[in-house]
């Protein structure tokens, strides 16, 4: 079985179409849609990765921010279980404390086969001579004194805001607008009727009703997705969310 750093893949599918050499996936409550991979999708992706000898970078930035249900195991956990340990996995798991403890320290972690971690260590050393040791010590102190007890209040806060956003969308959005119902994370993805443009809506929204969001087309590499938006629910409190969505819904009712 090829290891994560020893894959030897053919260059194409045989029909001239280039094979993917590396996969990147944000499986839980992903940015920007808030949606997650099912267990079947995870297993299919891992099967494809091994068939192609394609390493996967698993970005678990939002995985700990789960508000409902038991959730699915990380890709790296499924892969290590199926392949007899992490050394045989094709997945490199990237975690961050930015979404759960503090964003300003910019400290994260990577889990994967030892040989890859050793190379990453050298690459990072060459690139930035390590993340700040003081920041790492502060973070270590904070998380070793109870990461789980820090997570619970954050989850409760964001769950309340997620619920407030979904309820406000139900109350205020006109027919023809739809949105995701994420079970975690920070984002809800909105589909507008096809004739509307999220970037134009943002310009009007800021000027007329002082409500901001991210137009969705920035997340597409092929120029599509102009009628989509990403809403964030982690920053504003429930009253602000209700006010903002009521205003946005009223503006949209004049356009649909
Ligand atoms: C998908 C995704 N991955 C990773 C990160 C980043 O985190 P960090 O602050 O650790 O660089 C973000 C933050 O916005 C994100 O949305």
């Amino acid at each position: 079985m090829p290891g994560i750093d020893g894959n030897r893949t053919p260059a194409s599918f045989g029909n001239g179409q280039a094979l993917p050499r590396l996969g990147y996936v944000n499986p839980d409550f992903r940015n920007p849609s808030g949606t997650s991979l099912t267990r079947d999708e995870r297993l299919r992706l891992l099967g494809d990765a091994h068939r192609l000898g394609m390493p996967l970078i698993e970005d678990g930035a939002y995985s700990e921010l789960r508000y409902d249900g038991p959730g699915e195991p990380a890709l790296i956990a499924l892969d290590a279980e199926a392949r007899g340990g992490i050394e045989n996995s094709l997945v490199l798991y990237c975690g961050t404390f930015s979404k759960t403890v503090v964003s300003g320290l910019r400290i994260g972690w990577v889990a994967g086969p030892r040989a890859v971690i050793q190379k990453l260590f050298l690459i990072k050393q060459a690139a930035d001579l390590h993340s700040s040791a003081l920041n790492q010590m502060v973070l270590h102190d904070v998380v070793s004194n109870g990461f789980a007890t820090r997570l619970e209040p954050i989850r409760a806060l964001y769950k309340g805001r997620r619920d407030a956003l979904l309820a406000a969308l139900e109350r205020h959005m006109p027919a023809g607008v739809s949105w995701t119902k994420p079970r975690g994370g920070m984002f809800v993805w909105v589909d507008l009727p096809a004739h509307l443009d999220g970037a134009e809506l943002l310009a009007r929204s800021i000027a007329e009703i002082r409500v901001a969001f991210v137009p969705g087309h920035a997340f597409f590499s092929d120029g599509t997705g102009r009628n989509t938006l990403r809403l964030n629910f982690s920053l504003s409190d429930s009253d602000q969310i209700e006010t903002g969505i009521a205003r946005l819904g009223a503006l949209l009712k004049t356009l649909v």
Side-chain angles (χ1 to χ4, degrees), residues 24 26 31 59 61-62 96 98-99 106:
Y24 165 85
N26 191 198
N31 184 1
D59 182 346
Y62 300 94
T96 177
S98 287
K99 313 296 175 192
R106 305 212 75 88

Side-chain angles (χ1 to χ4, degrees), residues 226-241:
R226 300 210 70 87
N227 63 322
T228 59
L229 319 174
R230 189 194 74 177
L231 301 177
N232 168 291
F233 56 80
S234 61
L235 186 62
S236 307
D237 67 30
S238 300
D239 290 343
Q240 291 169 318
I241 288 172

Side-chain angles (χ1 to χ4, degrees), residues 125-145:
Q125 187 174 29
D128 67 3
L129 275 181
H130 309 304
S131 302
S132 152
L134 180 61
N135 287 357
Q136 291 187 67
M137 287 161 76
V138 169
L139 192 75
H140 182 261
D141 193 56
V142 170
V143 297
S144 32
N145 284 322

